[in-house]
Every structure is written in C-alpha cells, then in structure tokens.
C-alpha cells in the first residue's frame, strides 16, 4: 500500500520540480540541467522497481519478528505509539545513514543519492536501490520492541516524504527551526564535499542526534556548498550508478595479494584500501578548486529523444506501482525490463560520445571526502 502513496505523489513531485525550475529561471535565468535531472529521476525509478521485488519481503520479516518476539504490545489507536516510533525510527535512521557513509560496502547503497553535482528537488528522488535493504538490520530493534508493521511502514514513508523539501537551494535558512529540524540549509551541508562539511548532518527529520553525537555543522556563507562526491561518477547511466562503488571495491579485492585484505576492505571505513593496491594503483587527489562537472556535449535531437524516452516510463512505473498486487510476476518483470531499457537508452543518448571514463578523480584513502 505504501507504494500506492508513492505513485500518487509522482505528479506532485514533478509539479514542485517544475515550480523550482521556474523560480530559478525567473530569478537568474538558470535552468535545470537535462542530463543531471533525468539521471536523478531515473535512479529513483530504478529504486522503485528494485524495491517492488524486495521491500515486501523485508516487511514480512519485520512483521514476523514483531509479532513473534516483540517485547511490548502497542495500541495503533494511541497517538503515543505513533509519536514514539516516529522519533525512534528517526534515531535508527541517523545511525543507518551514518554507517552508510562510513562502512565501505554500505556506502554503495547510499552513494547514488550523492552522485549528483547539482542540488535541487530531482536529487531528492535520486535514491539508492540497495540502500533500504542494506540498512534494514539496523531497524530490527524496533521489531523487537513490538512496533506494529503498519506503524513502521508509515513512519518510514513519512521520513522519506519529509526529506523531499530539503533538497533545494531555493529556500535559505528557515527561522526558528534551524538546528532543530532538518532544513534545506542543514541538508545542503550534508551533500557538500567541502572539507568542513564532509560527514555532517545525518539526521532525517530532527537534528538532535547530530548535536548529541557531534556530527552537526552549519552552512556558512563564506564557504558555499559544492555538491557531488569526491570520487565522481562520470556517467549518466542509472544502472551502473547502483554498483559503482562495489565495482571499485571488487577491483581492489581482486588485485590485492593478501586474502585478509580481500575480505577486510569491504568492512573498513569508506575509502580504505589495501597498502599494495594503494601503491600500485593510486587514486588521484580530488581537487575541489579545479574540478569541473560532468557535462558531455550532445545534440538537441539527442536531448529531445532522451526526454521522450524518460516521459514514456512515467505511466509505466505508475501502472506498475498501482497494479503490483494484481499483476502476475512475469508481467511485472516485463514492464520492469521495458522501463529499465528506456532509462538506459536515455542515458546512452545523454552520455553522447563520451562514454563512462575509467579515470578516477578521488581523495586519499581516508574516510574524509567520500561521503
């Protein structure tokens, strides 16, 4: 049922994206980059398709543990139950989010959300397909607390919907709630690659956890946010975006000589590499002052065709979400393949003659700078 709300929300997301674009066009004659925006939304659609086949299973596991091993019974008719678990969920979200930035294999699930070099409402839709699956174990204490699955699914959805409005540069600092709730200013910091901002502001709805665990940072006018990741994703391919980091880890795992390092690197802090591969295949330092956004030249007809391919997926993904419980598995699979093929074709056109580069532009092998 939660996916039905997502399907209902698609037109509203597109409306706000259009309004934000109009705002900046009227303000300074700038517009959304077609390539970046379409890739952001394509990643979101890939995530919806992946979770269509996985999230139900995770909810079944949660419901079973809650019903079988839950320590307490909670009344769904009580406002206390909903308020309590809203904030309990936000607490575990903070830690899931933080671990996703600091453990090598988990970073792959969250990485797609940070790959965009822009910051607007389309970035809110750029979610990692593997993220919720990888962080799911972190929320299991809620099941053992006896949290009803209906409550868990609802607070999860509310947390995600809340975070849509904070992905914009159109809203400055918000009086009274800055530092209390998550805001566009606070979340701009989280998406920035500036040294002072890296690995800050993990909170979903409230910023209390960041202040409690010393990961809070304010946006500073003298240090404007620069967006993206310090090991940039130089492509518009929404499929490879979801395995890019694992591919890099796998390459290091194959090339390192020590068997302990082949396993160890997956669980080390983000960006840690075995000494021998660091020496034989060093990563170039990320130069924030001279870095240029990925923006290959493509013709007008390529852009128009790419937009048409993307628009063709919208009624298909909406139908898939609305009818997921009535469609047979093979029809869901066929629809999914058609949607993914359209999105891949869109990316192929937008990449133009510059296909995915093997060039690496990254920081050193410490955690700082990979989030």
């Amino acid at each position: 049922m939660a996916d039905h709300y997502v399907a209902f929300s698609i037109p509203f997301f597109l409306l706000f994206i259009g309004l934000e674009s109009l705002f900046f066009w009227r303000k300074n004659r700038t517009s959304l980059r077609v390539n970046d925006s379409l890739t952001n939304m394509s990643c979101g659609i890939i995530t919806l398709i992946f979770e269509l086949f996985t999230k139900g299973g995770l909810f079944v596991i949660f419901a079973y543990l809650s019903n079988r091993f839950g320590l307490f019974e909670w009344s769904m008719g009580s406002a206390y139950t909903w308020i309590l678990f809203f904030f309990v969920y936000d607490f575990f979200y903070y830690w899931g989010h933080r671990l996703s930035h600091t453990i090598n294999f988990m970073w792959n699930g969250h990485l797609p959300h940070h790959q965009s070099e822009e910051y607007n409402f389309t970035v809110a839709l750029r979610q990692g397909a593997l993220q919720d699956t990888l962080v799911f174990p972190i929320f299991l204490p809620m099941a053992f607390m006896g949290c009803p699955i209906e409550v868990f699914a609802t607070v999860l959805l509310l947390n995600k919907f809340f975070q849509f409005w904070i992905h914009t540069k159109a809203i400055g600092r918000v009086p009274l709630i800055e530092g209390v709730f998550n805001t566009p200013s606070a979340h701009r910091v989280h998406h920035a690659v500036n040294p002072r901002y890296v690995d800050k502001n993990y909170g979903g709805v409230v910023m209390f956890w960041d202040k409690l665990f010393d990961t809070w940072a304010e946006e500073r006018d003298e240090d404007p946010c620069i967006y993206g990741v310090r090991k940039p994703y130089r492509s518009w391919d929404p499929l490879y975006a979801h395995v890019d980091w694992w591919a890099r880890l796998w390459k290091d795992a194959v090339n390192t000589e020590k068997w302990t390092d082949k396993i160890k690197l997956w669980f080390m802090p983000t960006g840690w590499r075995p000494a021998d591969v660091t020496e034989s295949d060093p990563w170039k330092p990320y130069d924030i002052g001279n870095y240029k956004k990925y923006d290959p030249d493509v013709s007008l007809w390529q852009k128009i065709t790419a937009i048409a391919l993307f628009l063709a997926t919208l009624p298909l993904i909406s139908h898939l979400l609305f009818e997921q419980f009535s469609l047979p598995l093979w029809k869901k699979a066929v629809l999914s393949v058609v949607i993914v093929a359209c999105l891949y074709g869109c990316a192929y056109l937008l990449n133009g003659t510059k296909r995915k580069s093997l060039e690496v532009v990254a920081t050193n092998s410490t955690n700082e700078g990979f989030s």
Side-chain angles (χ1 to χ4, degrees), residues 53-223:
F53 297 94
T54 59
K55 184 157 282 187
L58 299 180
F59 283 174
V60 167
I61 294 171
F62 188 97
Y64 172 77
L65 294 176
S66 177
N67 293 331
R68 181 69 176 82
F69 301 105
L71 299 176
F72 308 101
E73 291 188 11
W74 303 88
S75 170
M76 290 184 52
S78 170
Y80 176 78
T81 299
W82 293 90
I83 294 172
L84 172 68
F85 282 113
F86 181 87
F87 288 103
V88 169
Y89 178 89
D90 201 59
F91 170 77
F92 285 113
Y93 174 88
Y94 169 88
W95 282 107
H97 194 182
R98 183 169 177 175
L99 290 173
S100 294
H101 277 257
T102 52
I103 298 178
N104 247 343
F105 85 93
M106 291 186 69
W107 174 228
N108 184 83
H110 187 54
L111 171 64
H113 182 58
H114 283 265
Q115 288 167 338
S116 174
E117 296 167 330
E118 305 296 336
Y119 193 76
N120 51 57
F121 284 146
T122 69
V123 177
L125 305 183
R126 185 180 184 130
Q127 298 296 318
L130 300 165
Q131 177 176 312
D132 284 1
T133 301
L134 291 175
V135 301
F136 177 71
I138 294 168
F139 294 96
L140 291 182
M142 292 179 66
F144 294 117
M145 290 173 64
C147 176
I149 183 59
E150 297 87 352
V151 174
F152 176 74
T154 301
V155 296
L156 181 155
L157 196 62
L158 290 174
N159 197 288
K160 285 182 179 293
F161 279 175
F162 175 88
Q163 292 189 51
F164 177 80
W165 80 282
I166 61 178
H167 290 85
T168 184
K169 293 188 287 185
I171 301 174
R173 291 176 177 81
V174 184
L176 302 179
I177 67 170
E178 288 293 345
V180 179
F181 293 100
N182 207 352
T183 63
S185 176
H187 207 59
R188 285 193 290 268
V189 166
H190 177 69
H191 274 258
V193 293
N194 312 48
R196 74 164 73 228
Y197 297 147
V198 170
D199 293 338
K200 300 295 184 182
N201 298 2
Y202 294 111
V205 174
V206 299
M207 306 312 293
F208 172 76
W209 318 119
D210 286 287
K211 293 191 172 182
L212 179 64
F213 299 113
D214 197 29
T215 53
W216 164 254
E218 287 187 84
E219 183 180 26
R220 295 177 179 268
D221 293 334
E222 68 272 18
D223 195 8

Side-chain angles (χ1 to χ4, degrees), residues 231-234 248 284 356-362:
K231 195 163 180 60
Y233 180 62
R234 311 291 283 179
R248 299 176 192 274
K284 295 180 181 179
K356 180 171 173 56
S357 172
L358 295 178
E359 177 187 4
V360 291
V361 184

